[in-house]
Amino acid sequence: MRVGVHINRFDHPGGGPALGAELAAAGAAAEAAGVSWLSVMDHYFQMEFNDRAEDPMLEAYTTLGYLAAHTSTVRLGALVTGVTYRHPGLLAKIATSLDVLSGGRATLGIGAAWYGREHEGLGVPFPSVAERFERLEETLRICLQMWDPKANGPFEGKHHRLAETLCVPAPISAPHPEIMIGGGGEKKTLRLVARYADACNLFATSPDEVRHKLDVLRGHCETEGRDYDEIRRTVVYTGEAVGAGDLDAFTRDVAGYTGLGIDTVILGPRTGEPAAFIENFAAPAVRRLAGLD
């Protein structure tokens, strides 16, 4: 197993002026530690269960572009972009730009969106769950069409209509930037993973539940005629061991996921100073997990 880090807080003691240097240090620490994945949230407001909506929140793709300039090997992505946040054609261009400027290290993390307050707060439409999933599938189709150099032309969907799908320059990643769909919904989300995604992201709730979700995904892959083993499986670990800095407890928890084909365990530090977290916890975690399958 590999280790990823998900930066989900920007409440640095030094405030906004300190964030640039802190993120640059986090990128350097991640690569020195052998961390394979570095992500940020894609939200307008801080999530309320992280503390308060009024807490600091940076725009995701601006932040990822900054991290791209301060790293050279770690894979970069949003965990995850809500489908409602940007027009699909613009999102494809943004993800392509990140891929080009990072040398082919971009992942398009995407999901159906859920945080109604931030949409209402900034005046962004927030349709029903059913419509958001319809838009999610159309967005995935649009991105794939824009990333196919032979497919420029119109796109006609229920919610989106594009006269052209030009995307120049093309992504560096071949055949296109990795698509990661976040969420464990068994009827819709995991079906979309089987149909469109290169990677999935689940919460590490328990080994038994993750095993069940992956079994559901395998079933969708069989229905879609997709090779299940082509899909990179990742989990977000938010257990108490991370907050407590307890590496032994973390290793015991994660050992329960061996045998499930989990590629990356993504840690969410509960701090606005991620560089120190990476040096003190993620770096030794990389070594601990290197021997787990």
Side-chain angles (χ1 to χ4, degrees):
M1 291 183 188
R2 297 184 290 180
V3 172
V5 173
H6 178 55
I7 299 173
N8 58 78
R9 293 177 185 264
F10 301 99
D11 52 344
H12 192 281
L19 289 177
E22 178 63 33
L23 288 168
E31 296 202 322
V35 167
S36 65
W37 164 272
L38 199 57
S39 56
V40 297
M41 290 189 295
D42 195 2
H43 283 296
Y44 306 143
F45 299 166
Q46 177 59 275
M47 298 181 298
E48 292 169 333
F49 58 75
N50 246 4
D51 199 358
R52 305 179 310 148
E54 295 83 2
D55 284 348
M57 177 57 56
L58 295 179
E59 195 282 321
Y61 285 96
T62 307
T63 306
L64 290 169
Y66 183 84
L67 286 169
H70 289 275
T71 56
S72 59
T73 60
V74 68
R75 177 159 288 277
L76 301 167
L79 198 61
V80 293
T81 287
V83 71
T84 50
Y85 296 164
R86 298 168 190 83
H87 188 281
L90 174 60
L91 178 61
K93 283 292 292 184
I94 291 170
T96 300
S97 298
L98 178 63
D99 194 64
V100 169
L101 296 178
S102 68
R105 294 184 285 129
T107 286
L108 174 62
I110 193 165
W114 59 269
Y115 194 1
R117 176 176 173 176
E118 64 185 359
H119 290 75
E120 183 178 357
L122 296 189
V124 177
F126 189 58
S128 68
V129 172
E131 181 175 330
R132 296 201 307 274
F133 272 99
E134 290 173 354
R135 289 178 177 270
L136 176 56
E137 183 156 16
E138 286 190 13
T139 296
L140 292 164
R141 290 171 56 203
I142 289 167
C143 287
L144 289 171
Q145 182 169 324
M146 289 186 67
W147 289 335
D148 183 346
K150 299 179 181 179
N152 177 41
F155 177 90
E156 293 288 335
K158 179 179 178 180
H159 302 287
H160 301 290
R161 294 169 180 81
L162 286 69
E164 299 181 81
T165 50
L166 279 171
C167 189
V168 182
I172 290 178
S173 296
H176 54 70
E178 180 183 63
I179 295 172
M180 174 188 284
I181 296 178
E186 297 181 11
K187 294 182 179 179
K188 294 183 178 181
T189 302
L190 293 177
R191 176 183 61 81
L192 292 175
V193 171
R195 184 171 293 177
Y196 297 105
D198 307 293
C200 66
N201 182 254
L202 302 168
F203 285 106
T205 47
S206 74
D208 286 343
E209 183 164 351
V210 170
R211 181 181 292 105
H212 170 70
K213 297 292 184 183
L214 293 176
D215 285 343
V216 171
L217 175 59
R218 190 187 295 274
H220 284 305
C221 286
E222 291 174 358
T223 300
E224 296 289 335
R226 177 78 186 280
D227 183 352
Y228 168 80
D229 290 324
E230 290 179 352
I231 298 170
R232 189 167 71 92
R233 279 90 76 187
T234 72
V235 294
V236 174
Y237 177 89
T238 58
E240 291 299 323
V242 171
D246 190 337
L247 274 166
D248 291 334
F250 167 72
T251 305
R252 287 194 298 271
D253 284 352
V254 174
Y257 296 89
T258 58
L260 299 183
I262 302 298
D263 174 88
T264 305
V265 177
I266 301 172
L267 309 179
R270 302 172 187 179
T271 173
E273 298 177 274
F277 168 84
I278 293 169
E279 292 171 355
N280 297 327
F281 190 90
V286 167
R287 297 188 289 271
R288 294 281 186 100
L289 267 61
L292 298 180
D293 296 321

PDB file of all heavy atoms in Angstrom, residues 9-19 22 56 270-276:
ATOM      1  N   ARG A   9      -7.461  21.503   5.560  1.00  0.00           N
ATOM      2  CA  ARG A   9      -7.579  22.680   6.433  1.00  0.00           C
ATOM      3  C   ARG A   9      -6.550  23.726   6.004  1.00  0.00           C
ATOM      4  O   ARG A   9      -5.424  23.391   5.635  1.00  0.00           O
ATOM      5  CB  ARG A   9      -7.351  22.309   7.899  1.00  0.00           C
ATOM      6  CG  ARG A   9      -8.426  21.399   8.495  1.00  0.00           C
ATOM      7  CD  ARG A   9      -8.068  21.041   9.926  1.00  0.00           C
ATOM      8  NE  ARG A   9      -8.993  20.079  10.490  1.00  0.00           N
ATOM      9  CZ  ARG A   9     -10.049  20.392  11.234  1.00  0.00           C
ATOM     10  NH1 ARG A   9     -10.299  21.661  11.502  1.00  0.00           N
ATOM     11  NH2 ARG A   9     -10.843  19.447  11.710  1.00  0.00           N
ATOM     12  N   PHE A  10      -6.952  24.969   6.095  1.00  0.00           N
ATOM     13  CA  PHE A  10      -6.072  26.080   5.746  1.00  0.00           C
ATOM     14  C   PHE A  10      -6.031  27.112   6.872  1.00  0.00           C
ATOM     15  O   PHE A  10      -5.761  28.291   6.642  1.00  0.00           O
ATOM     16  CB  PHE A  10      -6.537  26.723   4.437  1.00  0.00           C
ATOM     17  CG  PHE A  10      -6.547  25.762   3.276  1.00  0.00           C
ATOM     18  CD1 PHE A  10      -7.727  25.152   2.879  1.00  0.00           C
ATOM     19  CD2 PHE A  10      -5.375  25.443   2.605  1.00  0.00           C
ATOM     20  CE1 PHE A  10      -7.739  24.252   1.820  1.00  0.00           C
ATOM     21  CE2 PHE A  10      -5.376  24.540   1.551  1.00  0.00           C
ATOM     22  CZ  PHE A  10      -6.564  23.949   1.156  1.00  0.00           C
ATOM     23  N   ASP A  11      -6.291  26.652   8.099  1.00  0.00           N
ATOM     24  CA  ASP A  11      -6.306  27.545   9.258  1.00  0.00           C
ATOM     25  C   ASP A  11      -4.918  27.622   9.895  1.00  0.00           C
ATOM     26  O   ASP A  11      -4.719  27.301  11.063  1.00  0.00           O
ATOM     27  CB  ASP A  11      -7.360  27.097  10.265  1.00  0.00           C
ATOM     28  CG  ASP A  11      -7.247  25.623  10.655  1.00  0.00           C
ATOM     29  OD1 ASP A  11      -6.555  24.860   9.934  1.00  0.00           O
ATOM     30  OD2 ASP A  11      -7.843  25.226  11.673  1.00  0.00           O
ATOM     31  N   HIS A  12      -3.946  28.049   9.107  1.00  0.00           N
ATOM     32  CA  HIS A  12      -2.573  28.187   9.598  1.00  0.00           C
ATOM     33  C   HIS A  12      -2.521  29.296  10.646  1.00  0.00           C
ATOM     34  O   HIS A  12      -3.192  30.327  10.508  1.00  0.00           O
ATOM     35  CB  HIS A  12      -1.647  28.513   8.425  1.00  0.00           C
ATOM     36  CG  HIS A  12      -0.194  28.401   8.748  1.00  0.00           C
ATOM     37  ND1 HIS A  12       0.501  29.374   9.435  1.00  0.00           N
ATOM     38  CD2 HIS A  12       0.715  27.421   8.471  1.00  0.00           C
ATOM     39  CE1 HIS A  12       1.747  29.009   9.564  1.00  0.00           C
ATOM     40  NE2 HIS A  12       1.907  27.824   8.995  1.00  0.00           N
ATOM     41  N   PRO A  13      -1.724  29.111  11.710  1.00  0.00           N
ATOM     42  CA  PRO A  13      -1.630  30.161  12.737  1.00  0.00           C
ATOM     43  C   PRO A  13      -1.194  31.505  12.166  1.00  0.00           C
ATOM     44  O   PRO A  13      -1.547  32.558  12.723  1.00  0.00           O
ATOM     45  CB  PRO A  13      -0.573  29.611  13.707  1.00  0.00           C
ATOM     46  CG  PRO A  13      -0.616  28.139  13.523  1.00  0.00           C
ATOM     47  CD  PRO A  13      -0.942  27.919  12.081  1.00  0.00           C
ATOM     48  N   GLY A  14      -0.460  31.487  11.074  1.00  0.00           N
ATOM     49  CA  GLY A  14      -0.010  32.729  10.463  1.00  0.00           C
ATOM     50  C   GLY A  14      -1.011  33.364   9.530  1.00  0.00           C
ATOM     51  O   GLY A  14      -0.730  34.417   8.932  1.00  0.00           O
ATOM     52  N   GLY A  15      -2.183  32.739   9.364  1.00  0.00           N
ATOM     53  CA  GLY A  15      -3.211  33.289   8.508  1.00  0.00           C
ATOM     54  C   GLY A  15      -2.880  33.154   7.032  1.00  0.00           C
ATOM     55  O   GLY A  15      -1.950  32.442   6.636  1.00  0.00           O
ATOM     56  N   GLY A  16      -3.636  33.864   6.217  1.00  0.00           N
ATOM     57  CA  GLY A  16      -3.473  33.784   4.780  1.00  0.00           C
ATOM     58  C   GLY A  16      -2.060  34.021   4.287  1.00  0.00           C
ATOM     59  O   GLY A  16      -1.581  33.306   3.388  1.00  0.00           O
ATOM     60  N   PRO A  17      -1.331  35.013   4.831  1.00  0.00           N
ATOM     61  CA  PRO A  17       0.022  35.272   4.332  1.00  0.00           C
ATOM     62  C   PRO A  17       0.981  34.094   4.489  1.00  0.00           C
ATOM     63  O   PRO A  17       2.001  34.032   3.801  1.00  0.00           O
ATOM     64  CB  PRO A  17       0.482  36.462   5.178  1.00  0.00           C
ATOM     65  CG  PRO A  17      -0.770  37.176   5.551  1.00  0.00           C
ATOM     66  CD  PRO A  17      -1.772  36.073   5.768  1.00  0.00           C
ATOM     67  N   ALA A  18       0.669  33.162   5.381  1.00  0.00           N
ATOM     68  CA  ALA A  18       1.567  32.030   5.626  1.00  0.00           C
ATOM     69  C   ALA A  18       1.245  30.818   4.748  1.00  0.00           C
ATOM     70  O   ALA A  18       2.031  29.856   4.712  1.00  0.00           O
ATOM     71  CB  ALA A  18       1.500  31.617   7.091  1.00  0.00           C
ATOM     72  N   LEU A  19       0.121  30.839   4.037  1.00  0.00           N
ATOM     73  CA  LEU A  19      -0.334  29.619   3.359  1.00  0.00           C
ATOM     74  C   LEU A  19       0.554  29.225   2.183  1.00  0.00           C
ATOM     75  O   LEU A  19       0.779  28.035   1.952  1.00  0.00           O
ATOM     76  CB  LEU A  19      -1.779  29.789   2.894  1.00  0.00           C
ATOM     77  CG  LEU A  19      -2.823  29.793   4.018  1.00  0.00           C
ATOM     78  CD1 LEU A  19      -4.212  30.047   3.449  1.00  0.00           C
ATOM     79  CD2 LEU A  19      -2.800  28.484   4.793  1.00  0.00           C
ATOM     80  N   GLU A  22       3.605  27.486   3.499  1.00  0.00           N
ATOM     81  CA  GLU A  22       3.226  26.219   4.130  1.00  0.00           C
ATOM     82  C   GLU A  22       2.923  25.151   3.082  1.00  0.00           C
ATOM     83  O   GLU A  22       3.353  24.000   3.211  1.00  0.00           O
ATOM     84  CB  GLU A  22       2.008  26.421   5.023  1.00  0.00           C
ATOM     85  CG  GLU A  22       1.500  25.157   5.699  1.00  0.00           C
ATOM     86  CD  GLU A  22       2.501  24.540   6.666  1.00  0.00           C
ATOM     87  OE1 GLU A  22       3.253  25.304   7.297  1.00  0.00           O
ATOM     88  OE2 GLU A  22       2.525  23.292   6.788  1.00  0.00           O
ATOM     89  N   PRO A  56     -10.945  29.287   6.867  1.00  0.00           N
ATOM     90  CA  PRO A  56     -10.315  29.526   5.568  1.00  0.00           C
ATOM     91  C   PRO A  56     -10.490  28.360   4.598  1.00  0.00           C
ATOM     92  O   PRO A  56     -10.433  27.195   4.986  1.00  0.00           O
ATOM     93  CB  PRO A  56      -8.832  29.715   5.924  1.00  0.00           C
ATOM     94  CG  PRO A  56      -8.828  30.137   7.359  1.00  0.00           C
ATOM     95  CD  PRO A  56      -9.978  29.421   7.979  1.00  0.00           C
ATOM     96  N   ARG A 270      -5.555  16.696  10.590  1.00  0.00           N
ATOM     97  CA  ARG A 270      -6.478  17.651  11.215  1.00  0.00           C
ATOM     98  C   ARG A 270      -5.703  18.868  11.705  1.00  0.00           C
ATOM     99  O   ARG A 270      -5.719  19.220  12.883  1.00  0.00           O
ATOM    100  CB  ARG A 270      -7.209  16.969  12.360  1.00  0.00           C
ATOM    101  CG  ARG A 270      -7.986  15.735  11.909  1.00  0.00           C
ATOM    102  CD  ARG A 270      -8.541  14.948  13.062  1.00  0.00           C
ATOM    103  NE  ARG A 270      -9.137  13.689  12.600  1.00  0.00           N
ATOM    104  CZ  ARG A 270      -9.679  12.791  13.413  1.00  0.00           C
ATOM    105  NH1 ARG A 270      -9.697  13.008  14.723  1.00  0.00           N
ATOM    106  NH2 ARG A 270     -10.187  11.681  12.929  1.00  0.00           N
ATOM    107  N   THR A 271      -5.015  19.497  10.765  1.00  0.00           N
ATOM    108  CA  THR A 271      -4.150  20.610  11.124  1.00  0.00           C
ATOM    109  C   THR A 271      -3.983  21.535   9.940  1.00  0.00           C
ATOM    110  O   THR A 271      -4.044  21.088   8.787  1.00  0.00           O
ATOM    111  CB  THR A 271      -2.763  20.105  11.573  1.00  0.00           C
ATOM    112  OG1 THR A 271      -1.885  21.218  11.771  1.00  0.00           O
ATOM    113  CG2 THR A 271      -2.137  19.180  10.534  1.00  0.00           C
ATOM    114  N   GLY A 272      -3.772  22.803  10.219  1.00  0.00           N
ATOM    115  CA  GLY A 272      -3.468  23.777   9.184  1.00  0.00           C
ATOM    116  C   GLY A 272      -1.991  23.861   8.873  1.00  0.00           C
ATOM    117  O   GLY A 272      -1.569  24.733   8.106  1.00  0.00           O
ATOM    118  N   GLU A 273      -1.205  22.963   9.448  1.00  0.00           N
ATOM    119  CA  GLU A 273       0.240  22.912   9.198  1.00  0.00           C
ATOM    120  C   GLU A 273       0.591  21.519   8.678  1.00  0.00           C
ATOM    121  O   GLU A 273       1.206  20.716   9.382  1.00  0.00           O
ATOM    122  CB  GLU A 273       1.006  23.254  10.472  1.00  0.00           C
ATOM    123  CG  GLU A 273       0.714  24.667  10.986  1.00  0.00           C
ATOM    124  CD  GLU A 273       1.422  24.992  12.283  1.00  0.00           C
ATOM    125  OE1 GLU A 273       0.877  24.659  13.356  1.00  0.00           O
ATOM    126  OE2 GLU A 273       2.530  25.569  12.225  1.00  0.00           O
ATOM    127  N   PRO A 274       0.232  21.215   7.447  1.00  0.00           N
ATOM    128  CA  PRO A 274       0.408  19.850   6.930  1.00  0.00           C
ATOM    129  C   PRO A 274       1.857  19.431   6.753  1.00  0.00           C
ATOM    130  O   PRO A 274       2.150  18.232   6.773  1.00  0.00           O
ATOM    131  CB  PRO A 274      -0.329  19.890   5.586  1.00  0.00           C
ATOM    132  CG  PRO A 274      -0.327  21.336   5.190  1.00  0.00           C
ATOM    133  CD  PRO A 274      -0.441  22.084   6.470  1.00  0.00           C
ATOM    134  N   ALA A 275       2.774  20.368   6.561  1.00  0.00           N
ATOM    135  CA  ALA A 275       4.172  19.979   6.349  1.00  0.00           C
ATOM    136  C   ALA A 275       4.702  19.206   7.551  1.00  0.00           C
ATOM    137  O   ALA A 275       5.367  18.165   7.392  1.00  0.00           O
ATOM    138  CB  ALA A 275       5.031  21.207   6.066  1.00  0.00           C
ATOM    139  N   ALA A 276       4.440  19.700   8.744  1.00  0.00           N
ATOM    140  CA  ALA A 276       4.909  19.009   9.948  1.00  0.00           C
ATOM    141  C   ALA A 276       4.228  17.655  10.092  1.00  0.00           C
ATOM    142  O   ALA A 276       4.861  16.664  10.493  1.00  0.00           O
ATOM    143  CB  ALA A 276       4.651  19.870  11.177  1.00  0.00           C
TER     144      ALA A 276
END
